[in-house]
Amino acid sequence: MIVYFIPGLTLYRFTSARLHAATMGTAVVVEPKERTVKRFDIAQVQHFIDFITSSLVSTDLPFGKKTLKLSDGTELYVPNSIRNQIPSRIIQQYFCFCNETAMNFPPLETTSLYKMLDICKASTRRSFAGIDYYNADAGEAFDNIIKMVESLGPMSSEHRRLIENLKQSKRYLKSDFKVHVCSSSTVADHCSTYALSDAKDKCFHSMCDHDHKDQCEDCILLKNTFLEIETVLNDTISDKGETERTISKFKLMKESIALWKSHQLRTVHQD
């Protein structure tokens, strides 16, 4: 009978109307509530932001500022900073960081991380000079050693391997090395307590509660590559005087790279 007066009425609509009248009141208009689809956890966002704002990724500048505009129109002014790596490398390093330090922590998807990097403004490092002269000198040293290997004659597979090892070591010292450094590590090159202790001064000496029995493949790769390059230089250059000059330059470049590595370790320990 009711269907005759209300065309299209179904049992579901009739029951829903009675339920609405009983709970909300007769003819009461209910304002729809905004529902936000939450596709991530706030802890995941905070974890990634802490990573990209750490000294592992960014370098704060003593001048300049960036403006961040929130969704409600509020503008925030933050100090200018420089990211030491390109976005793809930052995300790759972040995934490695999560696997090594928080195995049960699910990071955000790659697309979300790219979007966060785009929103969290920062400059991209294009030049080392004027920011960190340890980095600048080491970068120049790597380039000069590569040129030195290339100038030894026709490029052989051995020369290409040495050059690739140098590039890989440079990438490692620039990014992953700082992630591996900690105050307690079984790898001597990664243990800041061991590296920064002075055996001659008790005031600046600390004992480690562990043995340094492990080795880092990337650190060993750099050391072995230097030894191989020095051997190649001695075997390839026939003139004794030129050999001595070349080896002397090579050792200065090695020292610049070693100083950069030490500087990276001190930076992590200080932070």
Side-chain angles (χ1 to χ4, degrees):
M1 187 68 179
I2 300 178
V3 179
Y4 179 79
F5 296 98
I6 308 177
L9 181 65
T10 62
L11 179 61
Y12 171 77
R13 291 180 178 179
F14 177 77
T15 305
S16 299
R18 293 191 63 183
L19 178 62
H20 177 80
T23 55
M24 301 295 180
T26 304
V28 175
V29 179
V30 180
E31 296 292 336
K33 296 181 180 180
E34 293 186 1
R35 299 181 61 184
T36 303
V37 179
K38 188 176 181 181
R39 302 184 183 276
F40 52 81
D41 188 82
I42 191 64
Q44 294 174 303
V45 179
Q46 186 64 44
H47 189 263
F48 182 65
I49 291 178
D50 290 341
F51 178 78
I52 63 176
T53 55
S54 67
S55 60
L56 304 175
V57 177
S58 301
T59 301
D60 293 332
L61 294 178
F63 55 86
K65 61 183 179 181
K66 291 283 186 179
T67 303
L68 298 180
K69 190 172 183 179
L70 305 182
S71 57
D72 59 357
T74 305
E75 291 186 349
L76 300 178
Y77 298 97
V78 296
N80 194 12
S81 61
I82 287 183
R83 291 197 181 119
N84 302 325
Q85 305 166 59
I86 60 176
S88 59
R89 181 59 182 166
I90 293 175
I91 293 175
Q92 180 183 355
Q93 184 179 355
Y94 175 67
F95 286 144
C96 294
F97 176 76
C98 291
N99 291 333
E100 294 178 4
T101 61
M103 298 181 62
N104 297 325
F105 181 81
L108 294 172
E109 296 296 330
T110 304
T111 52
S112 300
L113 298 181
Y114 272 114
K115 189 171 183 179
M116 290 176 63
L117 286 175
D118 183 57
I119 294 175
C120 299
K121 296 183 178 180
S123 303
T124 302
R125 172 173 286 183
R126 302 183 184 277
S127 174
F128 288 119
I131 300 174
D132 192 334
Y133 285 103
Y134 285 106
N135 290 3
D137 293 341
E140 185 178 358
F142 270 111
D143 294 338
N144 289 336
I145 294 177
I146 291 175
K147 292 179 181 178
M148 187 178 292
V149 174
E150 292 174 343
S151 65
L152 293 177
M155 288 293 292
S156 63
S157 58
E158 182 70 12
H159 292 170
R160 293 190 182 92
R161 183 182 64 83
L162 293 175
I163 291 175
E164 183 58 33
N165 289 347
L166 287 171
K167 292 180 179 179
Q168 180 179 340
S169 298
K170 182 180 179 180
R171 290 192 296 267
Y172 171 72
L173 292 179
K174 184 180 178 181
S175 56
D176 292 342
F177 174 69
K178 296 176 71 174
V179 178
H180 293 162
V181 171
C182 60
S183 59
S184 178
S185 175
T186 56
V187 179
D189 287 331
H190 300 166
C191 183
S192 60
T193 303
Y194 173 77
L196 299 176
S197 294
D198 188 354
K200 299 180 181 179
D201 192 339
K202 294 182 179 180
C203 297
F204 298 96
H205 180 70
S206 298
M207 294 295 296
C208 295
D209 57 356
H210 54 272
D211 296 328
H212 303 107
K213 57 185 179 181
D214 297 325
Q215 292 183 333
C216 171
E217 294 182 359
D218 293 289
C219 295
I220 294 298
L221 176 65
L222 180 60
K223 295 177 183 178
N224 292 339
T225 302
F226 283 157
L227 291 175
E228 292 181 28
I229 291 176
E230 187 170 352
T231 302
V232 171
L233 292 175
N234 284 317
D235 295 341
T236 305
I237 303 176
S238 57
D239 184 79
K240 184 178 180 180
E242 184 180 354
T243 302
E244 292 178 354
R245 290 192 297 271
T246 304
I247 294 297
S248 178
K249 292 179 181 178
F250 175 68
K251 289 182 178 180
L252 289 176
M253 297 173 193
K254 281 175 52 180
E255 184 179 357
S256 296
I257 295 172
L259 289 174
W260 181 36
K261 184 177 180 180
S262 301
H263 176 65
Q264 297 281 69
L265 186 142
R266 289 194 300 269
T267 301
V268 176
H269 184 80
Q270 180 179 353
D271 294 337

